[in-house]
Amino acid sequence: MTINTKYVGKAPNRVEGPAKVTGTAKYSAEFEVPNLAYGVVVSSTIAKGRIKSIGADKVLALPGVLQVFSHENVPRQAWFDRAWKDDIAPGGSPFRPLHDDEVKFSQQPVALVVAETFELARYAAGILEVEYKEEKHETDIEQKRDEGHAPGKGKSGYKPPKSRGNANKALDEAEHRIREEYIHGTQHHNPMELYASTVHYHPDGKLTIYDKTQGVYNCQQYVAKVFGLSKDDARVINLYNGGAFGSGLRPQYELFLSVMAALELKRSVRVTLTRQQMFSIGHRPHTLQTLEMGTNPDGTLAALKHYCLHETSRFEEYTENVVNWSGMLYQCDNVHLSNQVAALDVYTPQDMRAPGAATGSFALEVAMDEMAYAAGLDPLDFRIRNYAETDQSENLPFSSKRLRDCYHLGAEKFCWSKRPMAPRSMREGNRLIGWGVAGGVWDAQMNKASAKATITADGYLTVESAAGENGTGTYTIMTQIAAETLGLPLEAVTFRLGDTNMPEAPVQGGSWTAATVGTAVQKACQALGEKLLKLAQKMDDSPLKGASLDDVEFVNGQLRLRTAPEQSVVLRDVLQTSGEREIAADSTAIPNLINMAKYSMHSHNVVFAEVMVDEDLGTVHVSRVLNVCAAGRILNQKTARSQVLGSVVWGISMALMEETVPDHRFGRYMNHNYAEYHIPVNADIHNIEVLFVEEEDPYVNPLGVKGIGELGLLGVAAAITNAVYHATGKRVRRLPIYLDKLL
Amino acid sequence: MNPFTLTRAETVEGAVRDFRDSDSPAFIAGGTNIIDLMKENVARPTHLIGLNKLPLNTIEPTAEGGLRLGATATNADTAWHPEVQCRYPLLSQAILAGASPQLRNMATNGGNLMQRTRCYYFYDTATPCNKREPGSGCGAIGGYNRIHAILGASEQCIATHPSDMCIALAALEAEVHVVGPGGSRVIKFEDFHRLPGNTPERDNTLEPGELIVALELPKKGFEKHFSYLKLRDRTSYAFALVSVAAVLELDGSTIEDARLALGGVAHKPWRDKAAEALLIGQPATTSTFKKVAEAVLKDAVGQGTNDFKIELGRRAIVRALQQATAGGKASDVFLNSNP
């Protein structure tokens, strides 16, 4: 980048690192509050039916058990659905915990046992007898192939896919054609940290709620609306998340249950879910996709059809943008896209890292590999031939797009030119070796957010915004932006987040936090800078008199003229001369709607993978992954790289291991624990390299950032699947690639 | 988890007596399995008898030239013990293929034998399981049974024994020393675990209140030609889909003695002596190994999700015997990593 910066774009360490590794960083279940009672959730053992009885009496007889909450005694709450809708709720009727006797999904919370100690509550919950009247359930999307329907627009961010040209005609006339179905099962977010809420009930009846969430304001609004509280009565705090990956976008039922119990019992309550219950709070839906493609004699895409069917719940219409990316990533004039959902007796799915795109890019990019082979073309060359110079789906130019540079850089680093085209042409002893390529595209989004910057007389700056931190680096990059804007050392800047007493920020998701909160932080610091300039100009003999904000710069704790840097004042002197103890400025940043209308704003990546497959035993090891990302400007090389490293691990997991397996006879997930829901261990992870091709993008947002949280995952599973094909000649179209699929 | 009392036994006799005199007692050593079972309400003992103060954590040579592994010596201490590494490398390799370093640091040798199946249905009290609740049915039959048995199963239960260590102990023909209310006795390893039959709630042949005090390894350790091959869905911290302990004694390329034990395929470590006998006097070649593999799996029955284990089992036997022939040192970092 040509911009000369001191902190932005460099690689400072995580500012919250010491707090995390020394254990002083507090998570939602760790806040100590006085007179705390403990709630343990009792989960439904059936997938559908009615609760006949709750055997509360036996449990209530135990000394120390305070209450058993169920539909039989749940206090009245808001009546209309709109009160229960959070910012991220899809269309439909949100789930209301303990609302009535109806069981809508397996592991639905049916009771909350509250006791003086956690151990007692757990014991009491374990012996609570709940009787059900079972009804017939349906949990298998593969039995619903013919019952899909196009979803409505109820979910924010859902874009009904747009078709163009005449795909059927073009397919008929194509030189080469493929048509295949691609499937992945249900996956769960499985953050390390369990969902938990510690509700501090104050003597005046007000609540301070420490909740595991990706959006404190979203939770506050939910609690206020559901329980009829004023926002002043419910402060929500979340300082750290031990991972969330989208599972914390919506309020989870531990929040409702702990607040309800605290209000009823008029004392502080904590509810922590079990690992098993973590499989009842939303998931990446089991998804079926069909892709058809055809090529022209010159190897360009003649037609592309992408159809998707995924599950939703009976009560909400969850939707994902699964197929849209297929109309955007490659140049193709004849595209038919269709997205359908079918309702099942499961809990509502929930956005999980790169929702829609992780699923869609898997199918699209494996299909592209199949198409390349059908047309006799190198899979990377095939992609370059079909490079999209503009976003045909919106008919707009890209605000910036250096994917072609990613292709070339990646190919060179990976030595792609040495790859023989034919499958099964590389081996080492028993091991077949394969190389695969795939990539993806993700939205560069920005939302509205506010921030407040305060500088004290001693020259320390604090910036606040109620953003979330999932371990991605938000604390660090915001500190960098603030320090950069006001020319202060990093040590003199503190960024605080995750508290509804702070200026509002949206939920942390969609990879928009860097752009959204970053711009708000920059703007608040600029507003504070303007105040500081005015104060500096009031100083006797100020060298800055008459200067505008554009004429000055903040460097090394000084305010100085750009054209004459020796003409400067020390910030601390400005503050002390002003006599103010502190000076603050708020600001709200909103996206530039004009630029959004004029440009398609997206990040892109390409992934190269090498696998080694045991020829006899089918075991797959991913020996090498290179992920090249073009995501605008990179604010922190270290945290951005870490994000992409984590994404690659996730992609390896998606390709080889992850699946929540239901037993449809019980309508229940059977591997609902960390021992049997597999994610990689260190020994599964080998060489991962991450490269950034930085883009100068004056349109996307003032910081020029596109976000990196989702992008890194795209294409990883497909690149591995394609590499497995290259190694073995076997095309796997259903994830995960367990060893038995290669026997 | 239900309320329970805990005592820490000072002597073996005291532990046995405490067990005899208590209602719903259970022994606890490393606690790496029973705590999970209690949290899931699968086991509900009301009295735990801690074993870690017992003087049973030593590893010592026996007068017969073997090695005695104390019941409360940890899996980690056993796997890394110089005598075990040098004389019984198969056992070391098998232990290190199991669980994770954290678990192996806690888990004990006696406890390893006593761990219960990882059948999904056994652990989920919302589903039927004859092992957990006799007569309730088997959820795994007709359900999700990727980690379930293909050999020796019954209509009541298709669970597998999850241990890696026990597969090596079966191949090495260890003995299990136990002390109980009726005195002490020695159980041959092949007689320790049992097939489910009509009483799947019983994992082994211990009488109530009997306590494992030691495992005894015979003199012969097969330290030259051995292999523990474990195939699983990730490289560490996953139970075996199929594992094979193979040991050979070779005279040139002719097999003089051989043993095979399979894990992940049955309710107990699976030995097939008739099949093993096919190896004796034969050349250590792939075609010999394939014949034996066929023989071992000839009566195998798939349950649906685990059908692949039959072919995987055959291939794993061949590979393990090839590795044992070659000398057994981990030749494949991906398959034999010991993290």
Side-chain angles (χ1 to χ4, degrees), chain A residues 65-213:
Chain A
V65 171
L66 300 168
Q67 187 53 285
V68 176
F69 292 102
S70 71
H71 68 283
E72 292 178 350
N73 63 352
V74 71
R76 277 188 63 175
Q77 305 111 28
W79 182 252
F80 293 105
D81 275 340
R82 67 169 180 271
W84 295 80
K85 280 202 186 251
D86 62 274
D87 291 349
I88 309 299
S93 179
F95 173 64
R96 305 181 184 191
L98 313 187
H99 183 65
D100 56 24
D101 64 348
E102 189 181 354
V103 175
K104 299 166 193 266
F105 58 94
S106 186
Q107 282 215 82
Q108 173 179 321
V110 295
L112 180 78
V113 180
V114 186
E116 293 287 352
T117 67
F118 168 70
E119 290 76 12
L120 180 59
R122 179 170 61 177
Y123 168 60
I127 62 167
L128 183 72
E129 286 175 12
V130 181
E131 280 191 87
Y132 302 94
K133 182 177 181 298
E134 265 193 272
E135 293 166 19
K136 193 171 175 294
H137 60 259
E138 293 178 305
T139 54
D140 188 359
I141 191 74
E142 300 194 33
Q143 303 299 318
K144 292 271 177 183
R145 282 175 193 275
D146 303 322
E147 293 174 49
H149 66 273
K153 294 183 190 175
K155 183 165 179 286
S156 72
Y158 177 65
K159 296 177 213 151
K162 291 182 194 168
S163 298
R164 58 180 181 261
N166 187 336
N168 284 336
K169 180 165 172 288
L171 264 178
D172 285 344
E173 294 165 2
E175 171 103 344
H176 301 283
R177 280 180 291 273
I178 61 137
R179 181 181 199 279
E180 297 295 348
E181 186 182 54
Y182 304 89
I183 299 175
H184 69 64
T186 300
Q187 300 163 6
H188 278 83
H189 308 71
N190 269 312
M192 288 264 276
E193 183 195 7
L194 299 168
Y195 272 81
S197 195
T198 302
V199 179
H200 186 178
Y201 186 91
H202 297 282
D204 58 3
K206 293 187 177 187
L207 307 177
T208 303
I209 303 163
Y210 304 95
D211 187 46
K212 177 170 175 62
T213 176

Side-chain angles (χ1 to χ4, degrees), chain A residues 45 122-123 126-127 276 430-431 612 614-617 619 621 623 657 661 663 665-666 668-672 674-679 681 683-684 686 738-740 743, chain B residues 1-3 39-41 44 118 120-121 124 126-128 139 141-144 146-147 231-236 238-239 241 308 312 315-316 319 332 334-335 337 339:
Chain A
T45 57
R122 179 170 61 177
Y123 168 60
I127 62 167
Q276 285 76 1
N430 288 320
R431 289 193 213 131
M612 296 189 172
D614 191 293
E615 187 175 12
D616 304 312
L617 305 173
T619 51
H621 290 275
S623 44
M657 299 175 197
V661 184
D663 184 328
R665 299 170 307 166
F666 303 111
R668 189 171 176 88
Y669 300 121
M670 290 317 302
N671 58 337
H672 50 37
Y674 259 178
E676 299 300 339
Y677 183 93
H678 290 150
I679 56 172
V681 295
D684 292 304
H686 301 280
Y738 287 142
L739 55 80
D740 44 287
L743 287 180
Chain B
M1 185 184 270
N2 53 299
K39 281 183 178 174
E40 296 299 316
N41 293 310
R44 294 177 179 239
R118 260 62 180 189
Y120 325 113
Y121 300 85
D124 188 339
T127 62
I141 294 174
Y144 179 51
R146 183 170 178 79
I147 58 172
L231 301 171
R232 46 188 151 176
D233 284 330
R234 64 178 161 195
T235 311
S236 177
F239 296 98
L241 296 167
F308 70 92
L312 185 67
R315 297 184 186 195
R319 178 66 62 82
D332 187 327
F334 290 142
L335 292 177
S337 79

Side-chain angles (χ1 to χ4, degrees), chain A residues 275-346:
Chain A
R275 179 58 60 189
Q276 285 76 1
Q277 287 164 346
M278 295 287 282
F279 288 76
S280 64
I281 58 170
H283 54 276
R284 195 194 295 285
H286 184 174
T287 304
L288 318 178
Q289 303 178 71
T290 300
L291 267 125
E292 283 184 77
M293 279 186 199
T295 50
N296 297 311
D298 63 354
T300 57
L301 274 171
L304 187 159
K305 289 174 76 174
H306 190 169
Y307 164 74
C308 157
L309 171 67
H310 70 70
E311 65 187 28
T312 184
S313 65
R314 297 273 187 208
F315 44 93
E316 285 177 311
E317 194 169 74
Y318 173 82
T319 54
E320 285 185 352
N321 295 318
V322 175
V323 301
N324 306 41
W325 321 98
S326 295
M328 195 188 303
L329 191 51
Y330 299 108
Q331 172 78 25
C332 183
D333 294 337
N334 300 293
V335 174
H336 182 80
L337 304 174
S338 159
N339 193 40
Q340 297 201 324
V341 299
L344 295 170
D345 298 305
V346 297

Side-chain angles (χ1 to χ4, degrees), chain B residues 35-158:
Chain B
I35 301 287
D36 282 350
L37 293 165
M38 290 169 70
K39 281 183 178 174
E40 296 299 316
N41 293 310
V42 174
R44 294 177 179 239
T46 55
H47 179 57
L48 290 182
I49 301 158
L51 304 177
N52 287 334
K53 288 173 93 172
L54 298 182
L56 299 176
N57 64 347
T58 56
I59 295 174
E60 289 164 337
T62 63
E64 293 73 32
L67 196 65
R68 187 183 164 98
L69 312 173
T72 62
T74 67
N75 287 179
D77 285 345
T78 306
W80 298 113
H81 193 279
E83 286 282 312
V84 175
Q85 290 204 292
C86 182
R87 296 180 53 202
Y88 307 95
L90 174 78
L91 179 61
S92 181
Q93 212 175 61
I95 293 173
L96 294 177
S100 66
Q102 295 90 335
L103 287 163
R104 296 194 296 262
N105 286 341
M106 290 299 291
T108 62
N109 292 336
N112 193 295
L113 272 62
M114 298 302 293
Q115 67 180 306
R116 309 211 66 191
T117 183
R118 260 62 180 189
C119 172
Y120 325 113
Y121 300 85
F122 177 69
Y123 279 81
D124 188 339
T125 54
T127 62
C129 172
N130 286 326
K131 184 180 279 295
R132 173 171 31 82
E133 204 181 321
S136 63
C138 173
I141 294 174
Y144 179 51
N145 45 48
R146 183 170 178 79
I147 58 172
H148 289 74
I150 52 171
L151 289 164
S154 73
E155 287 178 11
Q156 277 68 47
C157 181
I158 60 170

